[in-house]
Amino acid sequence: MSIIEAVDLGKSYAGRACLYQINLSVPSGAIYGVVGTYGAGKTTLLKLLATLITPSTGDAIVNGYSLVGSPARIRRMVGYMPQRFGVYSYMSVEEYISFYADCQGVPTSERAALVNDLLQLVDLGHRRQDEVSRLTFAMKQRLSLARALTNDPQLLLLDEPFSGVDPRSQVEMRELIRELQNMGKTIVLTASASQNIAGLCTDIAILSRGELLVSGNAPGVQSLFHQHRTIAVRFFGNVDIATSAIKHNAGVQDIKVISHGLDVGPTSDQAEAPLPAIATVLKEIRASFTGSYGEASELLRLLMRSGVQVVSFNEEPETADALLIYPEGEADTPAAD
Amino acid sequence: MLNTFVSRLRVPLNPLTLHELRSLMRSPRAYSYLTVYMSIVSGITLLIYVAASFNGSSGVNDSSRVGTILFYIVVGMQAIVVSFLTPSFTSGAISGERENDTYELLRITSITPRQIVAAKLTAAFGFSTLLVFATLPLLSLALLLGGVELVQAAAAIGVVLASALFFSALGIYISSRSASRLSSAIITYVVTTGIVLGMAVFMLVVFPLINDIIYGTSSLIKTSPVLGILLQILVFFLMSASPISALVASETNLQESGNIWYITINQAAGATPPLYLPAPFIILIVLYLLLSALFLWFTIRRLDAPIDSL
């Protein structure tokens, strides 16, 4: 069951589109990662879903309510953590959460317990009396997350939760997000690099220049990137024999030979003027590969049968980031959901 | 503590109002303003009192003269301080929230635009009211010394409070339309100066000229009495638009006619019966209340719109 169903959702500012009619579906209980470079439209998408801005085209149904028709109802079930942290002067950590809980209509009798629980959840209980302005950036991020939870939302929208924080804080944030998922919340988060959300998100959407390139469950999206991966083989033996063994295999492209860290040139040249085979020198072949796992296994079998002594056979999958940096039109992108 | 106090009073204050009041009273700015303002008003009062004592004023007439001067100074200071201090609290009301990145966070909560505006207005108007009430002991001294009637003092306080409300509403409205706190402050102060001082100076210059046109030898009015009446009403309303000129005109009218509630305008050469108009302070209070409601309504409408259209 989907908690968000966006249909032709788009946003333009002064006639300039920054989000083109996107269609996506966010399953309930998912950790949905939206990946894209700066200006891809990630924040715009989150602001649309948070009802802070109105769509120029299309609509989205959030938990049964229309973004256009019932923004107030959606607002009550959404928690939004913006990229930039807003704070009032003279407010302590405790006051900050209490103030927003009050703004969300949490009764006075329940507020103290809620503040306590939320500060414990984000591990800021020991800093409750400190002024918010004195917290580190990572702590502010966690406090901002606690603030977004004051209305016990079903849907959490987190804008760049890993941006600008150190690796340890990133790990803590990931753990926190997983914990929130276990509490039954659906989380939509944005990231500018896919490595931040690798292994965390159950679903991924990739935005580029306001367009949705691909979306779907994480393994599915990852498998698309497996179509653009590199096979790296290190071996002892004759380079020509090794390249001949694999170059006619379907899915193998752009073979490069590296010897002692040196690129010895394209394989076609080598075929005309073979390099002397020096069995004691470790060599490496790197080839772009778009075949299946079975075909990769066949490559290894062919290499072994050719007589070269294979030391390692590695597959290096490309990440979503590679797709993001392809120039427009060059990316071999599958159709969006 | 403030929460407990409010809950006991059962005052329907929204959380943002409580926050605004708390922030205001926690900031050194509020105390600095109050201290400087009270020091100046008290210092001037003391100087007048000492000067009157050295001049050997002891009779009832002298006492009432001192009381009247004291009244003018306290009310004048109240009008100027309230008009010019209020914008410093309201100019960042909405634009400041945007600059601090807190506006989005507020809009995602259950707080409505109406509550946001109410909170900002309560804080700014509340502080202005505090300034007015802080000088009430000095005003009561003027009443004790004589020369000033209670209704006069009440009218003056009415003008000052209406001005505080109007300049608060104006500042909040300009703040809702400005991109930054700085631009909002500049625009608010330019408009406020124009209304408070510009209008008063303009009326001082223009009023004798208009009087000459109406009561003098101008052929324009002789051929068109209706135009003369319209001109007088226009001048009168413009005069009532500034707290300073409204207070001066109301006081002058009181001294000349002995009536505080209305003003009588005699037409040129007795061609038409006299024209009765409410006293300038009444016009100002009504005008400022209406304009305040209008500005607040416009602000709420503006905040009701999605953030991207602001």
Side-chain angles (χ1 to χ4, degrees):
Chain A
M1 186 189 157
S2 298
I3 193 166
I4 301 172
E5 281 288 349
V7 181
D8 293 338
L9 193 64
K11 182 67 189 172
S12 304
Y13 288 102
R16 193 180 139 266
C18 58
L19 198 65
Y20 293 94
Q21 305 183 339
I22 65 162
N23 296 282
L24 57 83
S25 175
V26 177
S28 191
I31 300 179
Y32 196 96
V34 180
V35 188
T37 51
Y38 178 76
K42 308 183 298 287
T43 300
T44 304
L45 176 63
L46 250 58
K47 283 188 177 179
L48 279 168
L49 295 174
T51 72
L52 285 169
I53 56 175
T54 47
S56 308
T57 61
D59 195 2
I61 303 299
V62 180
N63 210 20
Y65 294 104
S66 157
L67 208 63
V68 179
S70 311
R73 280 182 181 277
I74 292 174
R75 220 169 275 175
R76 280 199 284 272
M77 63 178 87
V78 165
Y80 173 59
M81 182 181 123
Q83 200 174 347
R84 285 183 293 183
F85 185 82
V87 65
Y88 295 107
S89 311
Y90 310 109
M91 241 186 203
S92 70
V93 167
E94 192 173 19
E95 283 174 338
Y96 183 80
I97 298 297
S98 182
F99 167 68
Y100 282 104
D102 200 2
C103 289
Q104 292 286 15
V106 177
T108 316
S109 55
E110 295 170 21
R111 217 175 297 149
L114 176 72
V115 170
N116 204 35
D117 290 348
L118 289 177
L119 291 182
Q120 292 298 328
L121 179 73
V122 297
D123 196 23
L124 283 174
H126 61 294
R127 302 294 298 265
R128 59 194 309 146
Q129 299 300 332
D130 290 0
E131 268 188 24
V132 175
S133 52
R134 289 184 183 172
L135 298 181
T136 63
F137 185 78
M139 285 178 176
K140 283 180 180 173
Q141 287 279 71
R142 296 210 302 273
L143 184 64
S144 188
L145 182 57
R147 181 204 47 75
L149 290 165
T150 48
N151 59 333
D152 192 19
Q154 290 167 269
L155 175 64
L156 264 174
L157 306 170
L158 314 180
D159 199 0
E160 300 275 3
F162 306 108
S163 169
V165 293
D166 57 89
R168 185 183 164 174
S169 302
Q170 282 190 16
V171 171
E172 286 171 354
M173 183 60 88
R174 288 166 72 100
E175 290 305 312
L176 203 50
I177 290 168
R178 280 205 186 94
E179 203 173 331
L180 290 168
Q181 186 198 24
N182 292 336
M183 288 162 73
K185 303 198 184 297
T186 305
I187 297 133
V188 177
L189 56 90
T190 65
S192 50
S194 65
Q195 68 218 44
N196 285 335
I197 58 167
L200 174 68
C201 294
T202 56
D203 297 78
I204 295 171
I206 295 166
L207 282 177
S208 177
R209 297 174 188 176
E211 286 185 83
L212 184 67
L213 297 183
V214 60
S215 73
N217 60 48
V221 173
Q222 288 291 341
S223 72
L224 294 172
F225 295 115
H226 282 193
Q227 291 177 6
H228 300 270
R229 59 199 195 274
T230 302
I231 295 287
V233 187
R234 301 177 98 188
F235 62 95
F236 290 114
N238 191 298
V239 171
D240 284 340
I241 292 171
T243 51
S244 299
I246 63 167
K247 73 179 178 184
H248 297 301
N249 194 287
V252 174
Q253 297 161 359
D254 299 331
I255 300 173
K256 284 188 175 181
V257 180
I258 299 164
S259 180
H260 287 301
L262 295 171
D263 188 341
V264 298
T267 50
S268 56
D269 292 342
Q270 289 162 12
E272 288 164 12
L275 288 171
I278 305 167
T280 52
V281 176
L282 183 64
K283 305 195 178 65
E284 184 176 338
I285 295 173
R286 296 179 72 85
S288 276
F289 185 66
T290 55
S292 64
Y293 288 121
E295 286 164 336
S297 171
E298 177 64 13
L299 278 186
L300 177 60
R301 198 181 63 80
L302 288 170
L303 282 165
M304 302 284 277
R305 279 185 61 183
S306 71
V308 296
Q309 197 180 343
V310 176
V311 176
S312 66
F313 184 94
N314 290 319
E315 191 183 72
E316 296 170 358
E318 291 199 25
T319 64
D321 301 335
L323 183 62
L324 295 173
I325 58 171
Y326 284 156
E328 197 171 6
E330 288 183 21
D332 180 18
T333 53
D337 279 357
Chain B
M1 193 173 158
L2 189 60
N3 279 335
T4 318
F5 177 69
V6 169
S7 62
R8 279 187 189 163
L9 281 179
R10 296 190 183 278
V11 178
L13 288 182
N14 72 56
L16 188 60
T17 308
L18 279 172
H19 159 70
E20 288 290 326
L21 290 171
R22 192 181 284 136
S23 303
L24 181 70
M25 296 320 290
R26 277 182 185 180
S27 73
R29 192 171 55 153
Y31 292 102
S32 312
Y33 284 173
L34 198 59
T35 307
V36 170
Y37 168 66
M38 288 301 293
S39 304
I40 292 172
V41 178
S42 307
I44 292 172
T45 306
L46 190 68
L47 278 176
I48 291 166
Y49 201 81
V50 170
S53 304
F54 273 112
N55 284 341
S57 305
S58 55
V60 175
N61 285 340
D62 287 332
S63 164
S64 65
R65 195 167 55 83
V66 172
T68 308
I69 293 170
L70 199 60
F71 173 72
Y72 290 159
I73 285 172
V74 172
V75 170
M77 285 292 288
Q78 280 181 341
I80 290 172
V81 167
V82 158
S83 303
F84 285 98
L85 269 193
T86 308
S88 79
F89 290 102
T90 56
S91 58
I94 309 296
S95 51
E97 294 276 359
R98 283 201 212 105
E99 275 186 358
N100 289 343
D101 295 317
T102 48
Y103 184 66
E104 276 185 1
L105 302 182
L106 275 183
R107 288 303 309 278
I108 199 76
T109 67
S110 307
I111 292 278
T112 61
R114 193 186 293 257
Q115 286 177 310
I116 294 175
V117 172
K120 301 294 178 183
L121 182 71
T122 307
F125 182 64
F127 187 71
S128 301
T129 309
L130 178 67
L131 290 178
V132 173
F133 279 79
T135 46
L136 278 188
L138 297 173
L139 211 56
S140 63
L141 188 65
L143 287 169
L144 283 173
L145 288 168
V148 182
E149 291 176 33
L150 192 61
V151 68
Q152 244 180 301
I157 290 173
V159 168
V160 173
L161 289 179
S163 303
L165 182 70
F166 171 65
F167 289 113
S168 299
L170 178 73
I172 292 169
Y173 173 70
I174 292 173
S175 179
S176 76
R177 297 201 70 95
S178 303
S180 72
R181 198 191 297 250
L182 181 67
S183 63
S184 170
I186 292 170
I187 296 167
T188 308
Y189 272 108
V190 167
V191 175
T192 306
T193 309
I195 293 171
V196 178
L197 297 180
M199 193 75 82
V201 171
F202 176 75
M203 290 319 300
L204 281 174
V205 174
V206 166
F207 195 63
L209 201 67
I210 300 289
N211 263 354
D212 186 51
I213 292 172
I214 295 166
Y215 299 111
T217 53
S218 170
S219 58
L220 176 72
I221 305 304
K222 278 179 184 167
T223 52
S224 177
V226 177
L227 189 64
I229 293 168
L230 289 176
L231 199 60
Q232 284 194 70
I233 292 173
L234 177 70
V235 167
F236 194 68
F237 269 90
L238 284 176
M239 191 192 293
S240 306
S242 164
I244 291 176
S245 54
L247 283 169
V248 170
S250 298
E251 186 60 21
T252 309
N253 177 55
L254 179 67
Q255 299 300 329
E256 286 176 356
S257 67
N259 189 315
I260 194 170
W261 302 110
Y262 61 88
I263 195 162
T264 311
I265 298 173
N266 293 311
Q267 297 304 295
T272 50
L275 190 67
Y276 296 102
L277 290 172
F281 82 89
I282 295 174
I283 295 177
L284 179 133
I285 291 171
V286 173
L287 183 70
Y288 275 16
L289 289 180
L290 287 174
L291 286 175
S292 300
L294 203 64
F295 278 128
L296 294 174
W297 183 69
F298 278 132
T299 311
I300 291 167
R301 269 182 60 112
R302 187 158 177 77
L303 298 191
D304 236 347
I307 280 177
D308 51 330
S309 62
L310 293 181

